[in-house]
Amino acid sequence: MFAPPMATPTPGAVGEPESTFGPIDLRARVPAQALMELVLRMRLDGQPDAEIASWHSGAIGERHVGDILSRLGSEWTVLHSVPFGDNGTDIDHVVIGPPGAFTLNTKRHPGGTVWVAGRSLQVAGQYQPYIPKAAGEARRAEELLSAASGIQVETSGLIVVVAARHVTVRERPDGGDIVVDVVRDHDLLAAFMRAGRRYSDEQVARIAAAAARPETWSRLPLEAVDAHSLISNFEAISLSPPERRPSKATSPRPAAKAMPSVLRTQRAPRSTRPSNRRTRRKRKSALPDLFKFALAVTLLIVGLNYVNNLAKPAAEEQAFATADQEQAALAQYAGAASLGIERASAGGTRPASLALGTGSELQLPDGSVLVDLPDGTEADYAPSADGLSYSLTLTGAQYGSTVTLTPETGVVANHEAAG
């Protein structure tokens, strides 16, 4: 996360760090530590909520990803808010494990749409330089970790998208000589699992020890912080909602101008003779009571039939407008299922079976629900013979679109099946 230069802490400020320039283990840092410190300093400086909001939202995203990373096994080392370089920036998360090292950039876009192809990443149609920045960050981390550990450390960059409504990857991200991937938060753990093993346990331990030393990343002195106090004070912050400009529908209408008195006096007096319209109304009121009653009953019957037809679901009503929409939804459900399968894979052994409940819930053998699927969706789950892998294929009820999930490949859409 690239943050603006931080102001010097105010004496007595909440979460004020205690200066200790001795060795500090970066594993003690908490998710979003740098952003939470920044938000608190901005609040103490009296900056308006509108200026704080984007940093506050970023901290929420980093804490969410930190919670997901806490579910990794003991063979993984996770660092948060790693001070990086000499200009006050930091890496959101660094993960060390059997595949090597990963630098993570968390990008929180509530309700947004993200589109990825090659070197281009767009949010709501606007280009964002996330891919080249992630590649540069991972490239520099690879150099630093290799020098500090004495091992050539393969490092990849991950852009973790949080809270977006749609994420479309048309082409694999192009980070040049660095592998860069864009994943949604619910597919993050599966991304680590399918990376495979590249280093021995002893090598992983050496890389992790080097990564935990602050001097590996920056020459700036690092101060210890009371993490509990920092988190408590950050969570106590309540930002006011952004001001909204009144819409045309809610804007008060201008008062009508009074008519000049001269115009009022020039109006012709109303005629006292009954108009033809009033005469016709009198004729209608003279209809027989029986005819009026029959007309009312007829209108009532027609109205009830109309309401009844509205209540019936139309046979041709569709949940998805196109096959692509159905397939995109299935891919998201498969990603959510992968996270639950990983949590249920004690010791690396995959569940022996999955079942569909009466309400299209995809369930583990113990009955716990992995994900609620659209009605009519078919699920085909097959664990490998050794129990270390599996495949899960979801087939849509409307267009027959299919996606297949495995730990090695992640979610793969079968475009030939999507009609």
Side-chain angles (χ1 to χ4, degrees), residues 71 186-187 189-190 333-346 349-351 354 362-366 368-371 381 390 392 405:
R71 305 168 196 168
H186 56 64
D187 195 37
L189 296 185
Y333 289 118
S338 71
L339 188 58
I341 293 173
E342 293 300 328
R343 288 197 297 263
S345 300
T349 302
R350 308 300 180 180
L354 298 180
L362 188 61
Q363 300 176 348
L364 290 166
D366 63 2
S368 58
V369 177
L370 288 175
V371 64
Y381 175 79
Y390 67 90
L392 172 64
L405 165 70

Side-chain angles (χ1 to χ4, degrees), residues 172 181-184 186-196 330-339 341-342 350 380 389-394 402-414:
R172 187 179 181 87
D181 204 358
V182 177
V183 298
R184 301 192 73 157
H186 56 64
D187 195 37
L188 179 57
L189 296 185
F192 293 127
M193 298 304 109
R194 58 178 176 257
L330 291 177
Q332 294 187 21
Y333 289 118
S338 71
L339 188 58
I341 293 173
E342 293 300 328
R350 308 300 180 180
D380 182 17
S389 186
Y390 67 90
S391 68
L392 172 64
T393 299
L394 301 180
T402 63
V403 297
T404 299
L405 165 70
T406 68
E408 293 77 24
T409 63
V411 179
V412 176
N414 184 353

Side-chain angles (χ1 to χ4, degrees), residues 267-317:
R267 281 187 171 178
R270 292 183 177 180
S271 173
T272 58
R273 185 181 63 182
S275 65
N276 291 335
R277 182 175 60 185
R278 187 172 300 174
T279 303
R280 286 195 299 270
R281 186 177 301 154
K282 288 183 178 180
R283 288 173 183 171
K284 288 182 181 179
S285 65
L287 290 174
D289 291 340
L290 181 61
F291 178 79
K292 290 193 294 182
F293 176 75
L295 179 62
V297 171
T298 302
L299 293 176
L300 178 61
I301 294 174
V302 171
L304 289 175
N305 287 335
Y306 176 73
V307 172
N308 187 45
N309 288 333
L310 286 180
K312 294 180 179 178
E316 66 274 10
E317 185 178 357

Side-chain angles (χ1 to χ4, degrees), residues 161-335:
V161 181
V162 176
R165 183 165 54 93
H166 292 299
V167 177
T168 302
V169 180
R170 292 296 183 187
E171 297 177 16
R172 187 179 181 87
D174 182 5
D177 59 326
I178 294 293
V179 175
V180 174
D181 204 358
V182 177
V183 298
R184 301 192 73 157
D185 50 352
H186 56 64
D187 195 37
L188 179 57
L189 296 185
F192 293 127
M193 298 304 109
R194 58 178 176 257
R197 174 179 283 275
R198 182 177 287 115
Y199 298 96
S200 67
D201 291 343
E202 188 273 335
Q203 289 175 317
V204 172
R206 284 177 57 187
I207 298 170
R213 295 193 294 266
E215 59 270 21
T216 297
W217 306 95
S218 175
R219 294 176 297 181
L220 297 178
L222 186 64
E223 298 176 322
V225 174
D226 181 353
H228 178 75
S229 175
L230 178 66
I231 293 171
S232 298
N233 286 281
F234 175 81
E235 292 178 344
I237 290 179
S238 177
L239 299 181
S240 59
E243 294 184 1
R244 294 184 179 181
R245 300 177 64 181
S247 62
K248 293 181 180 180
T250 58
S251 299
R253 292 186 177 183
K257 293 183 179 179
M259 183 181 294
S261 59
V262 64
L263 295 180
R264 291 200 300 270
T265 57
Q266 290 177 356
R267 281 187 171 178
R270 292 183 177 180
S271 173
T272 58
R273 185 181 63 182
S275 65
N276 291 335
R277 182 175 60 185
R278 187 172 300 174
T279 303
R280 286 195 299 270
R281 186 177 301 154
K282 288 183 178 180
R283 288 173 183 171
K284 288 182 181 179
S285 65
L287 290 174
D289 291 340
L290 181 61
F291 178 79
K292 290 193 294 182
F293 176 75
L295 179 62
V297 171
T298 302
L299 293 176
L300 178 61
I301 294 174
V302 171
L304 289 175
N305 287 335
Y306 176 73
V307 172
N308 187 45
N309 288 333
L310 286 180
K312 294 180 179 178
E316 66 274 10
E317 185 178 357
Q318 298 179 347
F320 302 102
T322 65
D324 285 342
Q325 288 185 8
E326 180 183 61
Q327 195 166 59
L330 291 177
Q332 294 187 21
Y333 289 118

Side-chain angles (χ1 to χ4, degrees), residues 114-194:
V114 179
W115 184 89
V116 182
R119 294 179 180 270
S120 177
L121 188 151
Q122 298 179 14
V123 178
Q126 299 295 319
Y127 170 79
Q128 300 293 338
Y130 296 163
I131 293 175
K133 286 185 177 181
E137 200 170 71
R139 186 179 298 109
R140 181 56 179 157
E142 182 175 285
E143 296 172 355
L144 296 174
L145 288 173
S146 298
S149 66
I151 302 172
Q152 182 59 39
V153 182
E154 294 291 332
T155 306
S156 303
L158 291 180
I159 300 170
V160 186
V161 181
V162 176
R165 183 165 54 93
H166 292 299
V167 177
T168 302
V169 180
R170 292 296 183 187
E171 297 177 16
R172 187 179 181 87
D174 182 5
D177 59 326
I178 294 293
V179 175
V180 174
D181 204 358
V182 177
V183 298
R184 301 192 73 157
D185 50 352
H186 56 64
D187 195 37
L188 179 57
L189 296 185
F192 293 127
M193 298 304 109
R194 58 178 176 257

